[in-house]
C-alpha cells in the first residue's frame, strides 16, 4: 500500500495481501500473551486481565488504504481495516487524525498545525499549539515537554517514538541519519487522580527484549 517504493526495484515481488496478512499477524502476536494469561486465570477461576484497548489509526494503514482505494476503486472491499485486525481483541478503533480524550489526556497519531496540516514535530509545540496535555507518535522520535498554565495546572506534550526491532535499519526513506534519531520502546503512564498529567516511564526496546524475549 505504500507509495515510496512503487514501481521501484525495492518494491519488486511485494504483494498487498501479504502486507495485510503481516499486519494481522503482528496484531495477533501483541495480544497473544494476554489471551494465554487469561486462559490460565480462567482455569484457576481467578480474575482476568481485560484492559481498555484503544488503537489510533495512522497514515501507514488507514491513510494509505484510503488513498489506494480512491485511486483504484475496483479494489474496494478487497482490502479493509478489519482484515488487518485493528478492531480485533476488543479494541476501540479511532479513525486517523480523530483525537480521543482519555483521563483528560488527548491522543492522536499526530496533531497538525491547523492552517497548514503539517504534523507538529516537537513536544514543546504540542503544548504551545494545543494548550493541553497531548500524546502522539508518527515521527518515530521520543520527545517530552512540560509547562504550567497561569492557574497552576501542568500540561505535558509527548511524542512517544515507535516500536521497532533495533536491528532493523531498513528504512531508506528516512536516510541513515534519520533512522539514528528514532526511539523504540513503550511508555508507561502513571496518571494522576485528577487526570491531565502523569509520571512517565520510558522503557527501551532493548530492556523489553532482555526481559521477555
Amino acid at each position: 500500500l505504500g507509495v515510496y517504493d512503487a514501481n521501484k526495484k525495492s518494491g519488486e515481488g511485494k504483494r498487498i495481501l501479504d502486507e495485510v496478512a503481516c499486519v494481522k499477524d503482528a496484531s495477533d502476536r501483541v495480544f497473544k500473551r494476554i489471551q494465554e494469561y487469561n486462559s490460565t486465570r480462567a482455569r484457576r477461576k481467578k480474575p482476568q486481565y481485560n484492559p481498555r484497548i484503544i488503537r489510533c489509526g495512522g497514515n501507514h494503514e488507514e491513510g494509505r488504504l484510503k488513498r489506494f482505494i480512491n485511486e483504484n476503486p475496483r479494489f474496494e472491499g478487497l482490502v479493509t481495516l478489519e482484515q488487518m485486525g485493528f478492531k480485533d481483541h476488543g479494541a476501540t478503533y479511532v479513525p486517523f487524525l480523530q483525537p480521543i480524550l482519555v483521563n483528560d489526556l488527548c491522543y492522536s497519531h499526530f496533531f497538525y498545525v491547523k492552517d497548514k496540516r503539517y504534523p507538529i514535530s516537537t513536544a514543546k509545540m504540542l503544548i504551545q499549539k494545543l494548550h493541553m496535555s497531548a500524546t502522539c507518535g508518527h515521527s518515530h522520535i521520543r520527545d517530552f515537554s512540560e509547562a504550567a498554565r497561569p492557574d497552576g495546572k501542568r500540561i505535558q506534550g509527548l511524542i512517544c517514538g515507535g516500536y521497532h526491532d533495533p536491528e532493523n535499519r531498513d528504512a531508506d526513506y528516512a536516510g541513515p541519519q534519520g533512522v539514528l534519531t528514532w526511539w523504540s520502546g513503550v511508555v508507561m503512564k502513571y496518571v494522576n487522580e485528577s487526570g491531565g498529567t502523569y509520571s512517565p516511564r520510558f522503557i527501551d526496546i532493548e530492556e523489553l527484549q532482555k526481559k521477555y524475549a
Side-chain angles (χ1 to χ4, degrees), residues 51-67:
R52 181 185 181 189
I53 301 169
I54 301 172
R55 308 186 71 169
C56 295
N59 58 299
H60 279 261
E61 57 283 326
E62 183 179 339
R64 289 178 177 178
L65 178 59
K66 285 184 176 179
R67 181 176 62 234

Side-chain angles (χ1 to χ4, degrees), residues 9-124:
K9 183 178 180 180
S10 58
E12 192 171 312
K14 292 185 177 181
R15 297 293 181 268
I16 290 176
L17 293 183
D18 289 342
E19 183 177 5
V20 171
C22 181
V23 174
K24 177 67 165 60
D25 178 64
S27 179
D28 290 340
R29 292 188 186 201
V30 167
F31 296 102
K32 181 180 178 181
R33 292 296 181 91
I34 295 179
Q35 294 173 333
E36 292 174 345
Y37 174 82
N38 283 339
S39 178
T40 300
R41 301 284 290 183
R43 289 196 301 270
R44 297 175 180 175
K45 297 182 179 181
K46 292 185 177 182
Q48 300 178 33
Y49 178 58
N50 293 299
R52 181 185 181 189
I53 301 169
I54 301 172
R55 308 186 71 169
C56 295
N59 58 299
H60 279 261
E61 57 283 326
E62 183 179 339
R64 289 178 177 178
L65 178 59
K66 285 184 176 179
R67 181 176 62 234
F68 175 77
I69 296 301
N70 185 57
E71 295 175 354
N72 304 274
R74 63 187 181 278
F75 290 106
E76 186 172 13
L78 178 63
V79 182
T80 65
L81 288 172
E82 286 76 11
Q83 289 173 300
M84 297 181 188
F86 287 107
K87 300 179 182 180
D88 293 352
H89 310 288
T92 297
Y93 183 82
V94 182
F96 179 44
L97 295 184
Q98 178 178 309
I100 181 170
L101 199 64
V102 182
N103 295 324
D104 208 24
L105 303 169
C106 197
Y107 296 86
S108 180
H109 182 71
F110 67 75
F111 296 93
Y112 55 83
V113 180
K114 300 301 185 290
D115 57 337
K116 297 182 179 179
R117 293 289 293 255
Y118 294 150
I120 295 174
S121 58
T122 68
K124 185 175 182 179

